[in-house]
Amino acid sequence: MKEHMKRAVQKLLIKKRHRLYEERVAGQTVPYDIWLKKTLEQEREEVLAWKEKAGEGHLSVSVFLPEAFCGSIFHEEGWEKTGDLWLVTSDRTGLTEQAPLEAVRYFEEHPACMIAYGDEDRYLKPDWSPDLLQSFFYFGNVFAVRKTLIAEIAGKAAARRDLFRQDREGAGEEDTEEGNLFVKKIVYDAVLCCLDEAKEAGHIEKIMFLSGSAEEMKEDAAKEWSGQYGDWGMEPVFDELKKAHLYADVEIPKEREKQDLVSVIIPSKDNPALLSRCIHSLREQTDYQNLEILVIDNGSNGKNKNRILQMRDQLKEAYSFHYLYRQMAFNFSAMCNIGGREAAGKYLLFLNDDIEIVEEGWLKAMVSKAAKPYVGAVGAKLLYPDGDRIQHLGITNIHLGPAHKLQFSSDKKVHYHGINRCAVNVTAVTGACLLIRREVFEEIGGFEERLEVAFNDVELCFKLLRAGYQNVCCNQISLRHHESFSRGFDAGREKVARLHRERDFLYEAYPEMWNRDACYSGKLVRDILDRGYEPACRFEEARISERAEVIPLDKEPDPVWHNECLYMGVEFTGDEQAWRTGKHGAGDYYIQGWSYSVNIDNSRYEKSLLLKPMRATERQENRVWKVPYRECRRPDLEENLPYIDHPALCGVSIWIRRDALPAGEYLIGYFWEDACSRQKLFGFSAETLLVDS
């Protein structure tokens, strides 16, 4: 009877925890349509306040549909009746109420800007991205251009219009398929002509176009919002018109003797089998013929060194490679720089030995980008060995640092406006496959050798951005990456500490890059490592985080409670100044991370952080501190943990007063207490919190 009552009470407690779980999830969820409405209201208030403050005498605006825009370009006699700005939209009813005023505000605040595009509810766009515009018409459903620029390009656009007349002949009305194609070609070409003159486009970071009504938005809220939604310009029928403009890709000759030499630099140690596969696939699967290969070995053991030498000597001349043996501690940057100095090519391709080439045209695509004078580093889409899951398609610089968006996502699906199907401008590309012109590499001083393991590729790309170059990732082609065979995974306290040191070095050298990525909209989620391209309402530290109190414990949790089934991570630990600017030194302490456990109902537990002094001091007395927190929703992890029972509230986002803890370094752990029984779980991560004196 007693046992029966115990089970009944526990059952009631579990139901109560489930209700509390659902309430907390609902309370922390901001539906997209609600976020969008709030954002639009805020932007409307801001632009109206600007108008009132700015007074009278603004630029005038005329709104054009694509067909009218095309016709007006070629009929100068009607221009005097049009506004100073031509605002072009695919649908007048889709323009937000404040869209024309937003255009006026932007052009008046940026008098040198001649052409600009706005954001849409379904497409929060990057800043000016010339290679993305070469891939497809990412300006989309709303852009604006000064009438004075139209006057400059009208003659050129009219001459090129004749190239598209074959698409127009017999097309009939504009709403036929042929008529629409003709209009799209004229619009696309006219915009490219504008950019031949203007050199770059502005980005009006305001939502100026809505793809549906509020009711439709609400109906779509549960669906993925970031598909292609009418994107166009990737189709082969647009290839020819892209060739005659300023940002056109360079055509690569088929003949070997006409191709510039590409030096492939492969850092490698004790991986003769991987190296062999890399080199063989490189030679067999690459239709770019003018190559030389340099292997930089930082100290393979005698057996492996002999195997590599034997492989080199046995290969045919066409497959052979230069072997540079330099016994030294692993330093990716130094190894790449050695290869760069020894290489003879116009182009330098840095390639991991765990890369496998799987399609022929990859290098031609990369060279056609790297050959353009404004381009710095060029990368490629990398897939995991199963050939489906994405490992890399450019590095995004979010609040937590450099991140790989869409990592582990299926490449069979078309993601965020085709980002995994076309060449895109990015902040950085991985050093696992990075192509750059030699002259540019030497101009910026190569890789930073103080970054021995991590972030050296990111630092190189930051350096290129600072020098005025654009970086590109060719996601229309892919290579296979057998990741981390080269040096293993980063884990353990020493490697975590080194990772933090190198990240701190990166942002101390490039403070302007902290939480800044021109190729990733500020309206997309930045505060967590969400692999998708989702609106910021998914997780915002300012909305989610809470203040927490620290409680001293007399002793550490009982060792019997330590549980290997408790998985944990710490994404950020540092003071407020570090979180806001990337530099440590002031404010309260912020900790963000997650924890979950397998084979149990996660909703049953009250959760706390544990802070354990790394070194005992007189004041600390080896005391462990407990920091209870309210769990926060992590939709990114919830989606990736379908096998976990109640995983949504697995996050932690807390602030601790600066004077709440004695000075010292604390190991960060998690402590779970079952609210329905006496069970407890705990474990420690490799991350630490450094509290200044």
Side-chain angles (χ1 to χ4, degrees), residues 436-453:
I436 187 171
R437 297 196 309 280
R438 168 195 286 281
E439 61 179 354
V440 177
F441 185 75
E442 292 175 348
E443 174 192 335
I444 63 169
F447 285 95
E448 171 55 71
E449 296 188 11
R450 286 174 289 181
L451 293 173
E452 300 175 359
V453 179

Side-chain angles (χ1 to χ4, degrees), residues 26 39 64 97 270 305 307 385 477 514 565 569 601 649 653 663 684:
T39 301
F64 291 87
E97 178 186 347
D270 286 324
K305 180 182 178 182
R307 288 177 63 188
I477 52 104
W514 178 255
C565 292
D601 182 349
L649 297 176
S653 177
F684 281 96

Side-chain angles (χ1 to χ4, degrees), residues 36-52 54 58-63 85-88 94-111 113 115-120 142-146 202-210 523:
L36 176 63
K37 182 179 179 181
K38 182 179 178 181
T39 301
L40 288 170
E41 288 175 353
Q42 181 180 337
E43 292 181 352
R44 181 175 179 274
E45 290 173 2
E46 289 175 356
V47 75
L48 289 176
W50 169 83
K51 180 182 179 183
E52 183 177 351
H58 297 293
L59 295 169
S60 57
V61 182
S62 293
V63 178
L85 300 178
W86 290 15
L87 181 62
V88 185
L95 282 181
T96 62
E97 178 186 347
Q98 64 269 23
L101 189 55
E102 291 286 13
V104 170
R105 178 188 181 185
Y106 186 86
F107 280 90
E108 289 188 1
E109 291 181 345
H110 301 81
C113 180
I115 182 171
Y117 53 92
D119 282 347
E120 306 173 28
V142 56
F143 67 92
V145 58
R146 291 186 191 268
H203 177 200
I204 307 172
E205 297 180 67
K206 307 294 181 181
I207 297 174
M208 298 172 64
F209 186 88
L210 302 177
K523 288 187 173 70

Side-chain angles (χ1 to χ4, degrees), residues 264-279 293-301 304-305 307-309 311 321-336 338-339 350-355 431-432 485-487:
V264 184
I265 298 164
I266 307 176
S268 186
K269 177 187 175 184
D270 286 324
N271 284 322
L274 276 177
L275 181 62
S276 176
R277 178 174 60 193
C278 177
I279 291 174
I293 301 174
L294 297 86
V295 174
I296 317 301
D297 188 332
N298 67 309
S300 290
N301 62 42
N304 285 326
K305 180 182 178 182
R307 288 177 63 188
I308 294 170
L309 287 170
M311 175 175 62
F321 55 89
H322 306 288
Y323 184 52
L324 305 177
Y325 188 84
R326 303 286 190 273
Q327 192 144 8
M328 54 188 281
F330 179 82
N331 184 321
F332 180 83
S333 297
M335 295 168 72
C336 289
I338 290 170
F350 299 98
L351 194 70
N352 273 20
D353 61 2
D354 54 3
I355 293 289
F485 278 110
S486 299
R487 60 176 178 83

Side-chain angles (χ1 to χ4, degrees), residues 653-684:
S653 177
I654 61 168
W655 291 93
I656 300 172
R657 290 195 335 270
R658 193 172 187 89
D659 60 357
L661 292 164
E665 187 175 13
Y666 295 81
L667 192 64
I668 301 174
Y670 288 85
F671 186 44
W672 287 25
E673 299 173 272
D674 192 347
C676 306
S677 75
R678 297 179 179 178
Q679 186 186 38
K680 295 179 176 62
L681 310 172
F682 85 94
F684 281 96

